[in-house]
Structure formats: C-alpha cells, structure tokens
C-alpha cells in the first residue's frame, strides 16, 4: 500500500497484529486461548476527505476546527464503543465523490485489498452513504459496510436499557431504514391484486416492506407519546415541589456521568467510552445552604448527529428543554474541545435552547486534572466569565460548581420572612413542600421562617401565605 494514497493513523501506540492467533494456540505467557471464546468482528475504519470541495464559510470554519486525523480518531472510538476490533484506520483523500461508490475505482480496489489482507468483515465509512453506494461497496469489498449514521444507531441500540430508550432507538432506525429500502431479491416481485389475469398488479415487495415499516413507526410513536405523557406528569409533579431542575449536557465522553456521580453519590455507568450513557437518569443533589435540586444526566451529543436521531430522542431531551439551569460539560483537555462545544451549541439550537444565555447555561470545564500547570494557567487567563473548572474524577472544583449552581438558581427567587401561627399546621407543611425554607425559628409568638420562592410558586404563595409576610 503506497503511503501517498491513504493516510494511516494507528489505533494505538503499539502496532496491531495482523495475524489472528489460531484457535487453541498459546499466548505470550504460554496460556492456551479458550477455544470457545468468540473473536471480535474485525473492522476497517475509513475517513473520506473531499479535497476538491469548495465549502461555505461556516463549513470551512468547522473543517479547520477539527482535523481529518481527529475525526478519524473519533470514528475509531465510535467503532470500539460496540466492541469491534479495529484492524486498520485510514484517512482517504478524494478529489471527487463518485455517485456510484463515493470512492474512485482505484481507491475501491486499494481498500478492497486492505479488507482482504486484514480479513475484515466490516468497513466503517465515516461519511453519509446512499443505499446504492452502500450496496456497491459491499459487493466490491465482500464485507458489510456501515456509514456514520448506521454506526451511531448500532451504538444506541447496544446502550439502550429502558423501554423508552429501546423504543427511541428502534424509531430512529426504522425511519433511517425506510428511506434505504433497495431491491435485493426477486421473489414475490409483484403480488396480484386479484385472481389470474383479472387482478391488476398489487404491491411490489419494496412497497409492502415500506408499508410494514410505516405501520411499526406509527405504533412506536404512539407508545412514545404515552411515555412522553407519563414523563410530563412526572415533570409536573416535580414542579409542585420547590426543587429546581439542572440538566447536564455535553459532547459524548466529556465526563457528564462521572460528574453526575460525584455530585449525587449515584452509581451511573461512567466509562472512557463514547455514548456510555444513553437513558436519562435523575437524582437529587444537596445545595450548600440546605436546599436541593434535581440533577438530570442525558445522552451525549456528537458532531454530525443526524436530525432524525435528535427528533427520536426529543422526549428524553425535553428534560434539557424544561430545565431551570443547564450545565454544559466540556472536556477541556481534549484538543478539539472548541469544536466539540460548537457541536453541542448546534444541537441545543435544534432543541430550541439558547446555549449563549449565560443566565441559564453554565460552562463546566472538566478534566482539568489532565492538564499541566502551564496549560492550566493559560486556560485560567482565557476563560470566559462564568466558566467553572472542575475535575469530576478527583472532585476538584465541584464545591465551587455547586455553590455557583445554588447562586444562579437563587437569583430568580425572591426571599421573604414570615411569622406563621403554630395553629397553621397545614400551611407550614405546604411551605416546606412548595418553597425553599432557608431558616426556621420556633418562638412563642409563632414560627418565624425565611423562605426563597420559586417564580412559578409566587402567585400561590401570595394567596396562601401573603397575610403572614413580615415587612
């Protein structure tokens, strides 16, 4: 393989072994390999780069923000996220994109030789493929071919654990599959609408498949509407209590789940793995002055996330839309942190959330423990006002983050003093349920309270407790 044809990026610092050990062979320590172990599927990852394109100013800026090698590394991470063995990863520069195969004839043949040499069963192309391109490449390479969307769908399918998550993944997959039905068989080519020659032509097989997919999509959407209604009821019940909601968002693998566990003492899966968390999780977090908030951990975002995937997960992401405060968690140690942040902002825009609203969105610069002192000092000098530097792994900076969260949540809440007669037991109970009680003193002349009132409870508070307000 000529180096000027394909740019290679190894998947690790050590060269990978091209020869798979034979079943029952001994490893370097002399231990026989278990003959019943199922070998991982070998995959080749390709990152096509269109060198002949003239991108718009916006696309050009995005291209400069993330190098092809960085994109390839992310594609490798996505592939490894579903336990595939990456036996080769290449940047493929293309002066022209071919409608039939995406790659030129020479590149198709060259990649085919790599696939054959590496005994790969799967080729990941980190670029949108049309159904025709996918089919032609599978024939040319005698291997299964997946594009970026299909790979993300596979990961989502592997990560979904709850009923809601499973339905959302299936809905996204069916909508993607519906537009990609191609005729791969000739049996049942045309079903008759009647008997003999009297009946006109009926549905083609593709039409029948498309109809069945559409019926299944309809059923899933109805089930998800029920899930959405139930989630809405839970959200409405949460709004009846004084606990505000805080949502964690960020690029996949930015450390959201680790930070979630640190702040809530939860045990949510957190791994150095893309899309380790898919289903949303909500827990209470204690605030410094005795208050509480509901913290929500959501699915991570990623560049070029297909729009229909965002739509499929909208019910889950409504936790973000309805949150009182949003923490945008960034992996500040990542070389592409600025590009990743831009992708998160773009996805939030799709959800109708203004990520530039500093009163509602706090930037959390995570993984500062991975930076040296010089880099830390430089970031501290360049940090925008309001950004909070933390290490979810070590706990550094998390106390300051929680204090900042409390301050932001309190900024829109009025603080009032009350003196409530001890005979008003029901009102006292309601106050403890519905507003934030900062201080309570039981005196002879009644119960003196200092309370902080959520904006949504202001009118009800005035009607129920206004007569006991102290000037």
């Amino acid at each position: 393989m000529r180096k000027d044809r394909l740019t290679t990026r190894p998947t690790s610092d050590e060269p990978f072994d091209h020869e798979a050990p034979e079943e029952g062979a001994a490893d370097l320590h002399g231990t026989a390999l278990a003959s019943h172990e199922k070998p991982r599927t070998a995959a080749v990852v390709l990152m096509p780069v269109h060198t002949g394109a003239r991108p718009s100013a916006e696309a050009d800026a995005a291209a400069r923000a993330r190098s092809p090698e960085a994109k390839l590394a992310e594609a490798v991470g996505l592939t490894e996220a579903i336990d595939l063995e990456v036996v080769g990863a290449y940047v493929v520069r293309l002066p022209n994109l071919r409608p039939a195969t995406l790659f030129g004839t020479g590149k198709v043949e060259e990649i085919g030789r790599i696939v054959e040499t590496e005994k790969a069963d799967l080729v990941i192309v980190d670029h949108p493929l049309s159904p025709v391109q996918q089919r032609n490449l599978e024939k040319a390479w005698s291997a299964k071919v997946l594009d970026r969307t299909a790979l993300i769908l596979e990961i989502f399918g592997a990560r979904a654990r709850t009923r809601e998550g499973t339905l959302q993944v299936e809905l996204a997959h069916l909508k993607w599959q519906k537009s990609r039905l191609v005729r791969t068989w000739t049996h049942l080519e045309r079903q008759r609408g009647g008997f003999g020659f009297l009946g006109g032509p009926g549905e083609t097989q593709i039409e029948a498949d498309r109809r069945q997919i559409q019926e299944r999509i309809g059923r899933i959407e109805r089930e998800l509407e029920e899930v959405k209604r139930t989630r809405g009821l839970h959200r409405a019940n949460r709004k009846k209590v004084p606990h505000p909601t805080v949502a964690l968002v960020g690029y996949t693998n930015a450390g959201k789940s680790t930070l979630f566990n640190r702040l809530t003492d939860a045990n949510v899966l957190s791994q150095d793995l893309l899309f380790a968390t898919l289903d949303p999780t909500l827990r209470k977090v204690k605030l410094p002055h005795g208050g509480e908030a509901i913290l929500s951990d959501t699915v991570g975002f990623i560049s070029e996330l297909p729009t229909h995937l965002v739509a499929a997960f909208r019910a889950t992401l409504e936790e973000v839309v309805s949150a009182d405060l949003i923490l945008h968690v960034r992996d500040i140690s990542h070389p592409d942190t600025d590009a990743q942040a831009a992708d998160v902002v773009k996805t939030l825009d799709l959800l109708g959330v203004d990520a530039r609203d500093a009163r509602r969105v706090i930037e959390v610069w995570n993984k500062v423990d991975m930076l040296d002192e010089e880099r830390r000092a430089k970031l501290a000098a360049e940090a925008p006002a309001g950004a909070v530097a933390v290490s979810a792994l070590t706990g550094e900076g998390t106390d300051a983050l929680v204090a900042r969260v409390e301050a932001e949540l309190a900024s829109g809440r009025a603080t009032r003093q009350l003196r409530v007669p001890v005979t008003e037991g029901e009102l006292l109970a309601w106050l403890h349920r519905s507003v934030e009680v900062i201080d309570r003193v039981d005196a002879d002349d009644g119960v003196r309270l200092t309370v902080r009132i959520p904006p949504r409870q202001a009118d009800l508070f005035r009607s129920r407790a206004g007569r006991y307000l102290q000037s």
Side-chain angles (χ1 to χ4, degrees), residues 301-305 310 317 341-353:
F301 300 156
I302 197 167
S303 64
E304 300 172 32
L305 187 66
V310 176
L317 294 173
D343 289 325
V344 172
V345 169
K346 190 183 302 182
T347 306
L348 288 175
D349 286 341
L350 287 175
L351 295 171
V353 175

Side-chain angles (χ1 to χ4, degrees), residues 453-467:
I453 308 159
R456 59 177 175 260
Q457 295 283 23
D459 292 340
L460 189 56
F461 172 82
R462 281 192 294 270
S463 65
R464 296 198 64 168
R467 61 187 181 278

Side-chain angles (χ1 to χ4, degrees), residues 305-344:
L305 187 66
T307 305
H308 66 272
L309 278 181
V310 176
F313 281 80
R314 194 172 185 88
T316 298
L317 294 173
E318 279 179 359
E319 297 294 344
V320 176
V321 176
S322 64
D324 296 291
L325 192 64
I326 296 172
L327 303 184
H328 176 187
V329 183
R330 293 177 55 179
D331 177 358
I332 204 64
S333 68
H334 198 285
D336 289 328
T337 182
D338 290 334
Q340 291 180 352
D343 289 325
V344 172

Side-chain angles (χ1 to χ4, degrees), residues 50 52-65 346:
H50 188 192
R54 294 183 179 179
S56 62
E58 181 181 353
D60 190 42
R64 288 196 303 270
K346 190 183 302 182

Side-chain angles (χ1 to χ4, degrees), residues 265-276:
D265 295 324
N267 192 28
V268 173
L269 175 65
S270 57
Q271 291 181 281
D272 185 16
L273 193 68
L274 298 178
F275 293 115

Side-chain angles (χ1 to χ4, degrees), residues 5 45 53 77 103 124 155 165 172 176 204 218 303 320 332-333 340 349-350 378 404-405 435 453 466:
R5 301 287 303 275
V45 181
F103 305 92
I124 305 296
I155 297 171
W176 176 81
T204 63
S303 64
V320 176
I332 204 64
S333 68
Q340 291 180 352
D349 286 341
L350 287 175
K378 184 179 179 182
R404 172 72 187 285
V405 167
V435 301
I453 308 159

